[in-house]
Amino acid sequence: MELFSSAVLPGAGNGSKVGTQSILMGVDICTYGILNLVYICFKFCLLTICSPHLGGVTAFFIAWLCNFKLLLLAFDKGPLKSIAHVSLPLFVVVACLPIKIQQNRPPKSHLNRKIHSSARKSKEGPVNYAVKGLILAILIRANDYIEHMHPNLIMLLYSFHIYFMLELILAIGAAMVRSFTSLELEPQFNEPYLSTSLQDFWGKRWNLMVTSILRPTVYEPSLRFSSTVIGRTWAPLPSVFATFVVSGLMHELMFYYLGRLSPTGEVSWFFIIHGFCLTLEIGLKKALSGKCEQLPWVVTGSLTVGFVLGTAIWLFIPQFSRCKIDVRAFEEYALLGAFLKSSSERVLGTLSPK
């Protein structure tokens, strides 16, 4: 958690111009002091925020995303490396949020731009998010009847709740950032319920920002080391497993910030199991490449989604109840509903003729 200071002091302590440039990337010493102050404020917020929604998002952005980006910056890598001589607000925003800066790309034909824009709008348009918002509202309403539900059904509803809530929160944040700046938030999800394998689920569809930040910080260094030991062909297997171990530890930290309870290890075991199964899947794909036909999507999709949901209901989702995140979240929904109702009544009372 002290990566901010440790990432900068080595270069600044020896007075090396090269070290300072590679680590600070154009941010002067005064700005560095301000950044440390900002980081301390954020760290204080992590330990004082009680809201499960605000606390969870803040923990992910600051304790995980920001620290890993600063760790990469200390080794002259990562997204912060390309930000030279930027303003302090922009540096903090890019460091703390799942943001990518729009790069100057080679010009494309008008037809290609139109096709790409249309495809994106059809996939991430307002109708898509409106449907997911409606589903989330139904799930919240269903909470009034959980005393009549089977515990496993409750865990299943919580799983859907978490997915829709995360996607909508990050979509709202992306829309706000795009409306005020030229920055674009990285997409976080890509229809994970359409996954055909664990590799497809974790690598291309679920929480893509975590995937993109774990790849350079854990997977690629492990891959280089493993390649020297067992060769390039099988090196991805231990590298993938190591990545899931680190992800499990970071998720334990996220739940600590949410519930202030000592970890039980169940979250780590969830990712260890998935890391082992994904390693096994990749190994089988390498060994059986071209030797057997691919199973239909109905089979692979059902097995993948079923396995993810089954293990999540067993090990991951119960942590939300253990930390009482579900209870506090629904209390926030009730307070928000009461606030919106009273606000609408005041507005209608003001507009209506007396």
Side-chain angles (χ1 to χ4, degrees):
M1 288 299 297
E2 301 299 335
L3 291 176
F4 196 100
S5 298
S6 62
V8 178
L9 287 178
N14 57 20
S16 171
K17 181 179 179 181
V18 175
T20 303
Q21 288 179 344
S22 64
I23 294 175
L24 297 181
M25 296 301 296
V27 182
D28 57 22
I29 299 300
C30 179
T31 302
Y32 159 63
I34 298 174
L35 286 172
N36 267 316
L37 179 61
V38 172
Y39 177 74
I40 292 172
C41 293
F42 279 151
K43 188 175 180 180
F44 174 76
C45 290
L46 287 175
L47 297 175
T48 56
I49 293 176
C50 297
S51 166
H53 295 93
L54 185 58
V57 173
T58 305
F60 170 62
F61 286 168
I62 308 303
W64 190 341
L65 197 58
C66 181
N67 271 315
F68 275 48
K69 285 184 179 181
L70 291 171
L71 178 61
L72 289 172
L73 179 61
F75 291 93
D76 200 19
K77 298 180 182 294
L80 298 181
K81 174 187 175 182
S82 60
I83 307 177
H85 308 291
V86 299
S87 63
L88 174 61
L90 179 60
F91 184 88
V92 173
V93 167
V94 175
C96 299
L97 299 178
I99 280 179
K100 64 178 180 181
I101 297 181
Q102 295 176 343
Q103 303 290 338
N104 293 327
R105 299 180 178 179
K108 297 181 180 180
S109 67
H110 176 73
L111 179 60
N112 288 340
R113 288 197 302 267
K114 186 175 181 180
I115 292 174
H116 177 74
S117 178
S118 299
R120 181 170 181 176
K121 286 182 180 179
S122 63
K123 184 178 181 181
E124 302 179 357
V127 175
N128 179 37
Y129 290 120
V131 171
K132 291 178 179 178
L134 178 61
I135 295 175
L136 179 61
I138 295 174
L139 293 173
I140 295 173
R141 186 72 178 113
N143 182 68
D144 296 337
Y145 307 97
I146 59 174
E147 63 271 10
H148 307 295
M149 299 180 187
H150 191 277
N152 288 338
L153 178 59
I154 296 174
M155 294 295 105
L156 180 62
L157 294 179
Y158 283 174
S159 302
F160 293 138
H161 184 172
I162 293 167
Y163 162 60
F164 289 120
M165 180 193 66
L166 287 176
E167 182 161 10
L168 289 173
I169 288 177
L170 294 169
I172 293 171
M176 293 176 63
V177 169
R178 280 195 295 266
S179 62
F180 292 106
T181 69
S182 61
L183 303 179
E184 181 179 351
L185 286 179
E186 291 277 8
Q188 292 296 303
F189 300 94
N190 181 23
E191 315 298 343
Y193 43 82
L194 299 179
S195 301
T196 57
S197 65
L198 289 178
Q199 190 174 13
D200 183 36
F201 179 85
W202 290 111
K204 299 178 181 179
R205 295 186 179 276
W206 181 265
N207 214 344
L208 301 178
M209 190 60 203
V210 169
T211 301
S212 66
I213 203 67
L214 285 175
R215 184 179 291 112
T217 52
V218 183
Y219 176 77
E220 291 177 357
S222 300
L223 184 65
R224 288 192 293 269
F225 175 78
S226 301
S227 298
T228 62
V229 178
I230 60 177
R232 186 66 177 82
T233 302
W234 298 102
L237 302 186
S239 304
V240 167
F241 186 77
T243 303
F244 273 82
V245 171
V246 173
S247 180
L249 294 176
M250 293 306 300
H251 277 86
E252 293 278 15
L253 179 62
M254 298 300 101
F255 275 105
Y256 172 77
Y257 281 127
L258 286 171
R260 308 295 194 271
L261 298 175
S262 299
T264 62
E266 292 177 322
V267 174
S268 295
W269 274 112
F270 170 81
F271 285 95
I272 289 174
I273 291 172
H274 276 260
F276 174 79
C277 292
L278 179 53
T279 301
L280 182 62
E281 178 185 298
I282 295 174
L284 289 175
K285 286 181 179 179
K286 288 180 176 291
L288 302 177
S289 178
K291 297 180 181 180
C292 60
E293 296 183 0
Q294 185 176 0
L295 295 174
W297 174 83
V298 174
V299 177
T300 58
S302 300
L303 290 175
T304 301
V305 175
F307 179 76
V308 172
L309 284 176
T311 52
I313 291 173
W314 172 32
L315 294 170
F316 191 83
I317 303 300
Q319 303 306 311
F320 288 88
S321 297
R322 172 177 170 267
C323 298
K324 298 190 182 302
I325 299 172
D326 52 344
V327 175
R328 290 185 286 140
F330 287 114
E331 288 177 351
E332 287 188 0
Y333 292 141
L335 292 174
L336 178 60
F339 171 76
L340 294 176
K341 181 179 179 181
S342 61
S343 299
S344 60
E345 289 177 350
R346 284 198 299 268
V347 171
L348 292 176
T350 303
L351 296 178
S352 60
K354 297 182 179 179

